[in-house]
Amino acid sequence: MNVILSKLQSYTQKKFFRFGVPFLVLIVAGSFGLKQFAQLRYTYSKKGTLTQEEAEKHGLVMKKPEEVTLETEFEKIKALDIDNWESVRGPRPWEDETMQQRASH
């Protein structure tokens, strides 16, 4: 019995067992606790799911995207006028947009 107590006492004097083990226990137990609290949020939420009709009524229905091909994108780019353009400097973070517009005109 004395051997076990002396070994236990020598382990409790080490920094890892005094600080590291409680820290690891806190991290692992905290993650499980946070999981339970997060689950409560979704379990007792008053928000319901939208039906298809409600989504259409509120305008939340996603439209089916058009098929994008290399040829259609090439036609869009070919239609652009790249010869006539004007270089316009955007405002700096410390400048007001109205100051920049006045300075360029």
Side-chain angles (χ1 to χ4, degrees), residues 96-105:
D96 188 16
E97 290 181 20
T98 57
M99 289 174 42
Q100 179 62 31
Q101 291 173 355
R102 281 183 281 168
S104 66
H105 291 289

Side-chain angles (χ1 to χ4, degrees), residues 3-25:
V3 175
I4 295 173
L5 287 176
S6 66
K7 288 241 185 219
L8 184 63
Q9 193 173 22
S10 68
Y11 282 134
T12 57
Q13 297 299 320
K14 297 185 181 194
K15 277 190 174 182
F16 176 75
F17 285 99
R18 288 179 56 205
F19 300 111
V21 172
F23 179 73
L24 291 175
V25 169

Side-chain angles (χ1 to χ4, degrees), residues 62-74:
M62 296 286 293
K63 296 178 182 175
K64 192 171 188 177
E66 297 176 6
E67 185 176 328
V68 178
T69 62
L70 190 58
E71 290 79 17
T72 58
E73 293 300 312
F74 177 69

Side-chain angles (χ1 to χ4, degrees), residues 27-78:
I27 296 296
V28 171
S31 69
F32 285 111
L34 284 175
K35 178 184 173 194
Q36 293 301 321
F37 280 115
Q39 187 62 38
L40 286 174
R41 175 182 176 188
Y42 297 112
T43 302
Y44 296 108
S45 175
K46 293 184 180 180
K47 297 177 186 174
T49 58
L50 287 177
T51 63
Q52 186 69 23
E53 295 81 28
E54 290 173 337
E56 289 173 358
K57 184 174 89 175
H58 294 291
L60 301 174
V61 177
M62 296 286 293
K63 296 178 182 175
K64 192 171 188 177
E66 297 176 6
E67 185 176 328
V68 178
T69 62
L70 190 58
E71 290 79 17
T72 58
E73 293 300 312
F74 177 69
E75 292 300 324
K76 287 179 188 176
I77 292 172
K78 196 164 65 170

